[in-house]
Structures are given as structure tokens and as C-alpha cells.
Amino acid sequence: MPFIELESLEKVFTVRVRGNAGLFRREKREVRAVDGISFAVERGEMVGYIGPNGAGKSTTIKMLTGILTPSGGRLRVAGIDPARERTRLAQRIGVVFGQRTTLWWDLPLKDSYRLMHRMYRIPDARFRENLDRCVELLELGELLDVPVRQLSLGQRMRGDIAAALLHDPEVLYLDEPTIGLDVVSKARVREFLRDLNTSRGTTVLLTTHDLTDIEQLCSRVMVIDRGRLMYDGELSGLHAVGESERLLMVDLERELPPITDVPGARFVRSEGPRQWLAFPATTSAAPLVAAVAAKYPLLDLSVREPDIEAVIAKMYGGTREERRESLR
Ligand SMILES: Nc1ncnc2c1ncn2[C@@H]1O[C@H](COP(=O)(O)OP(=O)(O)O)[C@@H](O)[C@H]1O
Ligand SMILES: [Mg+2]
């Protein structure tokens, strides 16, 4: 049996909207936040769950933890129905919401951990061991005595990840764990998650806006859009389906005519001696760079990864704005 299993899962919110102009009567409207999603995740997998804003990612995570009750379909995590047995499930899962902390704002970090020690009834030796490990790997040593409100976003996030792992959960859900983090904090968080998954076998389900998170961590990615699962497979497959492109920015020694004679590259625009070339995300940048360098006086270059929103927009045709329009 898969560790996480969803079958036609649905969540419908009823929201009140203002009625016709001049009338104060309020009308109700249904938002199908999750609209029939099915997937299965095996124990030990590390899966990315991505999609544009409002796609239904957080709503899915909340159902997986039992915070929200599904409106339809079936859901099992470790054989447990989350909404029915939320407390029992809580012993086996860990969850981190990037936009919100589970730590006590006014308390030093270590006091939050002590409270969790008791709340989850974690055996002393195990608590100690897990805390020591997290403190070491997430570099929390100097932060333990600092009240949470004084932590930077990156520090707070590391503190939250440790908090979610003190009771040895079999699965960790992370909802936008790298949002707003600086490059160094992001790298540290990714490193930690990779180690957690490989050395402890923890199942990880990760929602993110950052395609780099997925590229560095997940072999499997699921894309949702407007409450529906649009893609489930390898990241490279997503690029192929989306025909997404990476962007090569080159700084030439001087202003030159557009570079149009490098096979596989498409000239996008130029600004003085700087030019931008697009190439399929599924091909490697190295031969392209070599081809440009062989023909042109190159000073510097950088490659920009395809933006996930752009990949998704392209995958389903039209921009997000156009799709939003079509919903109205
Ligand atoms: N508590 C709620 N009440 C009403 N609508 C909600 C609620 N939570 C989420 N939604 C709506 O459900 C949709 C999916 O939201 P969410 O799961 O937060 O998306 P994501 O995390 O992918 O950005 C959005 O249209 C959002 O406005
Ligand atoms: Mg969200």
C-alpha cells in the first residue's frame, strides 16, 4: 500500500461574494480549491508539488495533515484517514508552513522545543538525539536562546524544520519552505532535506515556487493547476511537455549584430554588448556556450533557469492573465 494515497480528492470552499450593485444581499460562490486529485506516494520518495498561486497546493497539504476535511474523494496517510484521526496521525507526520510558524513567538527557540517534547510525548533520549542532530545540521546552536520573534526568516525556517522533526515523523510536508529565504539559507535547507531523505528515509512532499528546489531535490514532480493534477513525472519530462526554455545572457567585448548563427539558440534581444539567447531547457548549456565562445568575443555569461510560472503557463497555453480572464 502506498504511504500517501489520494483518490479523486476534493475541497470546495463556499465563499461569500457581494451581490448586485445597490443590493446588500450577499451571494455564495463555490471555489473548487482541489478538484478531483489522485496520486500515490511511496515511502521514502521525495516529491515536488508545484503550481501557480491559488492552484490548491496548501489546501492539499492541509487535508494531508487533517487540518481541513475533504469535501469528497478518499485520502489515506500511513493507512490513516487524516481528518478522522488527526491526533494519531500527528505522531507520524511533520509539517512546515513557510508563511507561518509553529514556534512560540515570544519564547526562546529551545523553550518551543521543550513544549513540543511534552506535547508529542517524545521519549527523552530520542528527543535529545533528534534535537542534537537538527541543531548540528541546521546550525541552530547559537539561536537556541533567542526569542523566535528576533530570528531572521531563514533562521526561523530552520527552527521550524527542526521543530517538525523532533518526534521522528515518517513523512515531512513542507509548504513553501524556501519562500523569502536568501541564497545561503535556501542552500542550507535544501542540503538538510536531501540528507533527511537519503539518510533517514523520510518521505518528503514539498510545495514550492522555486524550480531550483525541485531540480536539486526531487526526481518526481507533480504539477497542479486550478485544483487539478496536470502532470506527474520527472522534472525533465515537464520541461519537454512545457517546451520551456532557458535563457543565456552573454556579455560581448563590444556591441555586435544579433547572434543568429548558433544552432539551437534563438536570439531574444540585445542591450548594447549584452545579448540574450533562448534555448530548450531539455538541452545542456555547455555546447551552446562553447559554440558562442568559438565565434564571438565573450566577456561573461550567465544562464537563467526557466521560471516555473512560465513553464506552466506555456504548458496549458496562454499567460496566467489570459487564463484568469477566461475564468471570468
Ligand atoms: N479558507 C478558505 N476559504 C475560501 N477559499 C479558500 C480558502 N483557502 C483557500 N481558498 C481558495 O482556494 C484556492 C486554492 O488555494 P491554496 O490551496 O491556498 O493555493 P496555493 O497554495 O496553491 O497557492 C484559492 O482560490 C484560494 O483563494
Ligand atoms: Mg499555498
Side-chain angles (χ1 to χ4, degrees):
M1 193 177 63
F3 191 65
I4 299 173
E5 202 168 18
L6 283 67
E7 244 180 64
S8 311
L9 194 72
E10 288 181 18
K11 182 68 193 180
V12 182
F13 293 109
T14 306
V15 290
R16 291 171 187 284
V17 288
R18 188 155 293 179
N20 296 331
L23 294 177
F24 283 97
R25 199 173 55 110
R26 279 161 179 264
E27 285 172 13
K28 286 180 182 170
R29 193 169 62 89
E30 283 193 342
V31 176
R32 307 190 68 82
V34 172
D35 196 9
I37 287 185
S38 305
F39 64 74
V41 174
E42 301 293 336
R43 196 179 277 278
E45 272 194 273
M46 188 146 176
V47 183
Y49 196 55
I50 63 175
N53 260 326
K57 303 181 295 294
S58 297
T59 303
T60 310
I61 301 278
K62 286 174 189 164
M63 288 193 279
L64 289 170
T65 62
I67 296 171
L68 284 176
T69 307
S71 317
R74 187 173 173 281
L75 171 61
R76 290 288 180 277
V77 178
I80 295 172
D81 179 345
R84 286 199 171 181
E85 293 187 88
R86 187 175 163 188
T87 319
R88 185 156 81 93
L89 183 68
Q91 297 286 341
R92 306 186 56 177
I93 65 172
V95 61
V96 175
F97 288 102
Q99 321 248 30
R100 196 176 86 204
T101 184
T102 53
L103 302 166
W104 280 262
W105 207 238
D106 296 309
L107 297 182
L109 200 51
K110 67 169 190 271
D111 289 2
S112 281
Y113 295 153
R114 279 197 199 118
L115 285 166
M116 281 163 180
H117 183 183
R118 266 182 265 152
M119 263 170 54
Y120 285 97
R121 298 200 178 89
I122 308 166
D124 292 347
R126 213 209 293 173
F127 171 77
R128 207 15 67 212
E129 192 186 311
N130 287 338
L131 183 59
D132 286 350
R133 186 173 167 278
C134 284
V135 166
E136 191 197 323
L137 294 176
L138 289 166
E139 294 173 50
L140 294 172
E142 306 205 326
L143 307 176
L144 288 172
D145 291 311
V146 181
V148 171
R149 64 163 67 254
Q150 288 174 21
L151 298 177
S152 73
L153 189 58
Q155 293 170 335
R156 201 272 286 158
M157 183 60 58
R158 285 185 275 137
D160 255 301
I161 292 174
L165 295 171
L166 296 174
H167 61 295
D168 272 335
E170 293 153 78
V171 58
L172 181 63
Y173 309 128
L174 300 126
D175 194 1
E176 307 273 2
T178 57
I179 200 163
L181 299 195
D182 60 86
V183 181
V184 177
S185 297
K186 271 187 189 182
R188 205 177 276 160
V189 165
R190 285 178 191 143
E191 175 84 22
F192 178 81
L193 294 177
R194 197 179 306 119
D195 175 74
L196 180 77
N197 177 253
T198 50
S199 71
R200 320 256 305 188
T202 308
T203 309
V204 177
L205 185 67
L206 171 80
T207 88
T208 181
H209 264 80
D210 191 337
L211 198 56
T212 317
D213 285 345
I214 306 289
E215 278 176 325
Q216 298 193 352
L217 293 174
C218 307
S219 50
R220 175 179 171 196
V221 59
M222 294 189 277
V223 180
I224 66 161
D225 188 28
R226 284 175 279 169
R228 291 171 187 247
L229 189 63
M230 310 303 286
Y231 179 84
D232 183 352
E234 288 184 12
L235 185 66
S236 54
L238 175 63
H239 284 309
V241 172
E243 294 174 349
S244 62
E245 291 183 318
R246 280 193 275 181
L247 217 50
L248 177 67
M249 186 181 84
V250 294
D251 285 327
L252 305 174
E253 269 172 19
R254 58 188 180 277
E255 197 167 330
L256 286 168
I259 300 176
T260 52
D261 57 351
V262 172
R266 182 174 63 79
F267 172 78
V268 178
R269 69 189 175 97
S270 61
E271 228 178 74
R274 179 171 283 184
Q275 299 201 16
W276 283 265
L277 307 173
F279 63 102
T282 45
T283 65
S284 161
L288 199 79
V289 170
V292 175
K295 288 185 181 170
Y296 295 89
L298 205 58
L299 284 182
D300 198 5
L301 62 91
S302 70
V303 177
R304 206 182 73 203
E305 294 305 315
D307 166 59
I308 190 58
E309 300 250 344
V311 173
I312 291 166
K314 206 160 178 186
M315 222 169 142
Y316 310 120
T319 62
R320 295 200 60 213
E321 280 62 37
E322 283 162 6
R323 285 177 20 232
R324 247 191 231 129
E325 272 315 311
S326 72
L327 285 175
R328 287 194 180 121

